Amino acid sequence: MAVGSFDGWDAVVLASILIISALIGIYYRYTGGKQKTTKEYLMADQSMTTFPVSFSLMASFMSAITLMGVSSEAYQFGTMFCVINISYLLSTPIAAYMFLPVFYRMRTTSVYEYLERRFGHATRLAASIAFTLQMVLYMAIALYAPALALEAVTGINKTTAILVIGLVCTFYSTLGGLKAVLITDVFQSFLMFAGIYAVITVSAIKAGGLGAIWQVALERGRVELWDFSIDPTVRHTWWSLIIGGMVTYLSLYGVNQTQVQRLLSVRNLKGAQSALWWNLPILCTLSFSTIFSGLAMFHYYRNCDPMLEGRIKSGDQLMPLFAVDTMGQYPGLCGLFVSGIFSASLSTISSAVTSLSAVTLEDYLKPLYKTFFKSALVDSKSTFPTKIVACIYGLLCIALAFGAGSLGGVLQASLTIFGVVGGPLLGIFTMGIFTTRTNQRGVLLGFMLGLLFSFWIGFGGPKPKPPILDLSTAGCSLNNSTGSSSEPFIEVLRGFTESPPLVPEPHFFWLYRLSYMWSCVLGFLITSSCGYCFSILLAYFKCADNSQIYLDRQQKLLDYDLFAPPLSRRFQNIHRKQQLQQQGVQDEMLVKLRDTL
């Protein structure tokens, strides 16, 4: 495999970016309130403006895996994936006006505190543990995957990359708290855009314009936007991308601790809702740009695919390879691209560290402290332990990233977990915010079933490999004398496009043939439907109740803050009407009593 060069100018650019990120953490450690309270450390004093939060929401969502993966998606499978942006547009008002106001009314550090108020402590603990495992595993792969890709192509040592990204991220996250993370996210967002546009610009220069890139994509069947198939086994259709994309988006932007924590750091609800709306064009712009960068790379490699040639073994390595192949003549440009990839990892990991430290403090440390010491952990005593926890999570991320190399298929498993857990978690919050009849025991049963089903679909197999679009080696130079080592890999890739496939499609169990976009949807539906039905059955047999939602013992006065604004207003109107009716009855009785006297 050819390994490219990473020269001095590239190293200077990368080092500068990392130093600036670290300096931001130092700045926020010694300015303002100096991170002395958990409110400032974990919630940025709830004083942030819309601009940095909107960029941070995007940066937390778009990891280095996403940047390299989406560009590879367009390269190998075409542009159909861009339809998912419609789901972002449809889901934003739901997240902004249904879910966010509920959390904003409570202003809690951990979103799972809502579940305790709505259902009980067991539900809070179950959801919190699921989130913690999800984020710890994803944090490790978000650090390991780009380091592996960069080592394979640019020659940057994997160990060095993991240590540099992990330690810098741990440093500024631990030192500067959420404020530092938000501001570095803005800085790193611009670097992510710079890296993507560097790929597009260099390719356009070599192709003779953007039109040439688009024309080749059209001719070679990369432009596809109109697949309306209702077959759920088709990898990407309008229905799978929009419905699956909506559930995924809401599981991230509606109820995920990482994103909600950022939104709650904004000064007021209207500002937080604006941040969600401003995040939409930023997210979509990066999404479309990353997809087009895949087409740009396809134009460059259209007659000599590096995977078939044996230069790389994964589509995720395409973007780093392209940078090394084309940007070497521009001093520092390859360094800028690598900085964009590093920035995507930094933003994702720092977001995970701050959210995990918040959940650990609120859901684990404070309840344990109260159990052992019979008193609440005051804010002045909780800031330092929270910083220690943040540091531990950062170091744990580095350790797991080093261990990831020996785990083989667990890498893909950890990515699957990220989607598998999201659907059931969204189901729990949906039942709490939109229904009054669900109770803790029913919800927990639904959650367990949803998780079990999602894990089965996510990890079960064997599964068919998706067929990639036409790739060519017709223009490759005939100097690959060491091709024997890559022959097995080439044969596997060719097997994807041969007809019939190596294993006949009917031999695969139907559920394993479902598009991966439906996994999150099924987890959500099973959790919600089973949780609701179990709740009704358990309440019918008097094995559970939903007394948590009432403020009085007579169970007549609902806690309106627990429900989505439309439901909350409806319940309040019903309550007011009942009060007026009771008042009217009392007035009539007084009149009759007066008449009899």
Side-chain angles (χ1 to χ4, degrees):
M1 183 187 297
V3 177
S5 62
F6 191 76
D7 61 25
W9 283 110
D10 297 324
V12 168
V13 171
L14 179 58
S16 301
I17 273 52
L18 294 172
I19 290 170
I20 291 171
S21 296
L23 288 175
I24 292 173
I26 295 173
Y27 173 80
Y28 281 103
R29 168 62 181 85
Y30 294 103
T31 58
K34 300 181 180 181
Q35 311 301 321
K36 290 182 178 178
T37 65
T38 52
K39 183 181 178 183
E40 181 179 15
Y41 186 72
L42 295 175
M43 304 298 290
D45 260 342
Q46 297 178 335
S47 62
M48 298 304 295
T49 58
T50 298
F51 177 78
V53 173
S54 60
F55 272 93
S56 182
L57 290 170
M58 181 278 295
S60 302
F61 181 75
M62 295 292 277
S63 67
I65 302 170
T66 311
L67 289 185
M68 295 188 291
V70 172
S71 60
S72 173
E73 167 71 28
Y75 182 100
Q76 296 182 86
F77 301 102
T79 59
M80 191 67 201
F81 188 74
C82 71
V83 174
I84 200 171
N85 288 276
I86 297 174
S87 71
Y88 302 158
L89 177 63
L90 297 175
S91 303
T92 297
I94 301 174
Y97 302 115
M98 296 295 178
F99 288 98
L100 182 57
V102 176
F103 299 123
Y104 214 94
R105 284 195 292 257
M106 296 178 64
R107 280 283 186 147
T108 56
T109 304
S110 168
V111 294
Y112 305 108
E113 188 174 328
Y114 165 82
L115 294 178
E116 182 169 11
R117 280 186 58 182
R118 175 61 180 85
F119 297 114
H121 184 70
T123 308
R124 175 183 183 174
L125 196 60
S128 180
I129 291 172
F131 168 79
T132 301
L133 293 174
Q134 173 196 49
M135 292 306 296
V136 166
L137 287 168
Y138 186 72
M139 193 166 53
I141 186 61
L143 177 55
Y144 177 81
L148 183 66
L150 290 169
E151 179 188 52
V153 176
T154 65
I156 298 175
N157 185 268
K158 176 181 65 181
T159 301
T160 302
I162 289 174
L163 283 173
V164 168
I165 298 175
L167 290 176
V168 169
C169 179
T170 302
F171 176 79
Y172 74 75
S173 300
T174 302
L175 209 60
L178 186 59
K179 281 185 180 178
V181 171
L182 290 170
I183 300 304
T184 50
D185 280 354
V186 176
F187 172 61
Q188 290 157 6
S189 295
F190 286 111
L191 290 173
M192 290 160 64
F193 276 104
I196 295 298
Y197 286 125
V199 170
I200 295 173
T201 301
V202 170
S203 181
I205 291 171
K206 294 184 177 298
L210 298 175
I213 295 173
W214 186 254
Q215 186 59 38
V216 168
L218 284 171
E219 292 171 358
R220 297 286 290 273
R222 256 57 188 178
V223 180
E224 184 183 8
L225 298 171
W226 311 111
D227 192 338
F228 291 96
S229 171
I230 59 174
D231 183 357
T233 64
V234 177
R235 187 167 177 269
H236 286 158
T237 67
W238 271 63
W239 314 117
S240 66
L241 288 167
I242 291 177
I243 299 173
M246 286 182 69
V247 173
T248 302
Y249 182 96
L250 289 172
S251 71
L252 289 167
Y253 286 90
V255 301
N256 186 280
Q257 169 69 28
T258 305
Q259 306 294 52
V260 175
Q261 187 175 347
R262 277 149 181 68
L263 291 167
L264 295 182
S265 71
V266 183
R267 292 169 183 167
N268 52 58
L269 176 59
K270 187 168 286 188
Q273 291 169 332
S274 297
L276 260 178
W277 279 110
W278 278 111
N279 164 70
L280 180 62
I282 298 169
L283 181 61
C284 291
T285 300
L286 187 61
S287 175
F288 284 120
S289 301
T290 308
I291 289 170
F292 194 83
S293 72
L295 301 181
M297 291 189 298
F298 178 75
H299 181 277
Y300 184 79
Y301 294 118
R302 64 191 182 280
N303 295 321
C304 186
D305 177 71
M307 288 185 289
L308 291 179
E309 191 187 11
R311 295 180 67 194
I312 58 175
K313 294 186 177 181
S314 162
D316 293 340
Q317 297 172 345
L318 272 167
M319 191 175 273
L321 176 67
F322 177 85
V324 170
D325 282 350
T326 62
M327 297 180 187
Q329 58 186 303
Y330 308 103
L333 189 59
C334 190
L336 180 65
F337 165 78
V338 173
S339 298
I341 299 298
F342 272 40
S343 294
S345 287
L346 284 168
S347 61
T348 301
I349 297 164
S350 62
S351 300
V353 166
T354 53
S355 61
L356 285 170
S357 57
V359 165
T360 302
L361 173 67
E362 296 294 330
D363 297 342
Y364 310 141
L365 294 183
K366 284 188 175 180
L368 283 173
Y369 186 91
K370 191 171 184 179
T371 300
F372 285 107
F373 298 99
K374 309 302 179 184
S375 62
L377 181 61
V378 296
D379 193 64
S380 59
K381 291 183 178 180
S382 59
T383 306
F384 182 72
T386 306
K387 292 179 180 180
I388 297 297
V389 167
C391 184
I392 290 172
Y393 275 121
L395 296 176
L396 177 64
C397 170
I398 296 172
L400 288 175
F402 279 119
S406 62
L407 295 178
V410 176
L411 294 180
Q412 182 61 42
S414 62
L415 289 173
T416 305
I417 286 174
F418 194 72
V420 160
V421 176
L425 280 178
L426 177 63
I428 287 183
F429 280 99
T430 301
M431 284 187 285
I433 291 172
F434 291 97
T435 71
T436 58
R437 301 185 69 181
T438 48
N439 52 60
Q440 176 163 262
R441 291 182 180 178
V443 164
L444 284 175
L445 284 170
F447 183 55
M448 285 189 289
L449 284 176
L451 280 178
L452 287 172
F453 183 85
S454 297
F455 270 85
W456 172 41
I457 297 302
F459 296 123
K463 295 179 180 179
K465 294 184 179 295
I468 59 176
L469 298 177
D470 174 57
L471 298 171
S472 173
T473 56
C476 295
S477 59
L478 302 176
N479 60 357
N480 187 11
S481 60
T482 60
S484 59
S485 63
S486 62
E487 272 184 17
F489 177 70
I490 294 172
E491 291 303 316
V492 171
L493 281 174
R494 286 173 179 164
F496 289 167
T497 54
E498 288 177 0
S499 180
L502 295 176
V503 181
E505 190 168 324
H507 287 189
F508 294 106
F509 180 51
W510 186 78
L511 282 175
Y512 294 155
R513 292 166 50 212
L514 286 177
S515 167
Y516 72 97
M517 293 299 299
W518 293 110
S519 298
C520 199
V521 178
L522 290 174
F524 166 73
L525 290 176
I526 288 173
T527 301
S528 302
S529 57
C530 292
Y532 190 81
C533 292
F534 281 132
S535 293
I536 293 175
L537 283 172
L538 289 169
Y540 178 80
F541 290 106
K542 302 192 185 307
C543 296
D545 60 54
N546 59 351
S547 58
Q548 293 278 134
I549 66 175
Y550 295 99
L551 296 173
D552 59 342
R553 291 184 177 180
Q554 293 75 28
Q555 297 188 10
K556 292 184 178 181
L557 183 61
L558 281 170
D559 187 350
Y560 303 118
D561 290 345
L562 297 175
F563 302 99
L567 279 178
S568 180
R569 288 192 294 268
R570 179 169 170 258
F571 295 149
Q572 289 182 61
N573 289 335
I574 291 172
H575 182 67
R576 275 195 291 268
K577 287 180 180 178
Q578 290 175 345
Q579 284 184 321
L580 289 172
Q581 288 175 354
Q582 289 176 357
Q583 186 65 42
V585 171
Q586 290 175 357
D587 290 344
E588 287 182 10
M589 291 177 65
L590 285 172
V591 170
K592 289 180 180 178
L593 182 61
R594 200 180 305 126
D595 291 341
T596 56
L597 294 175

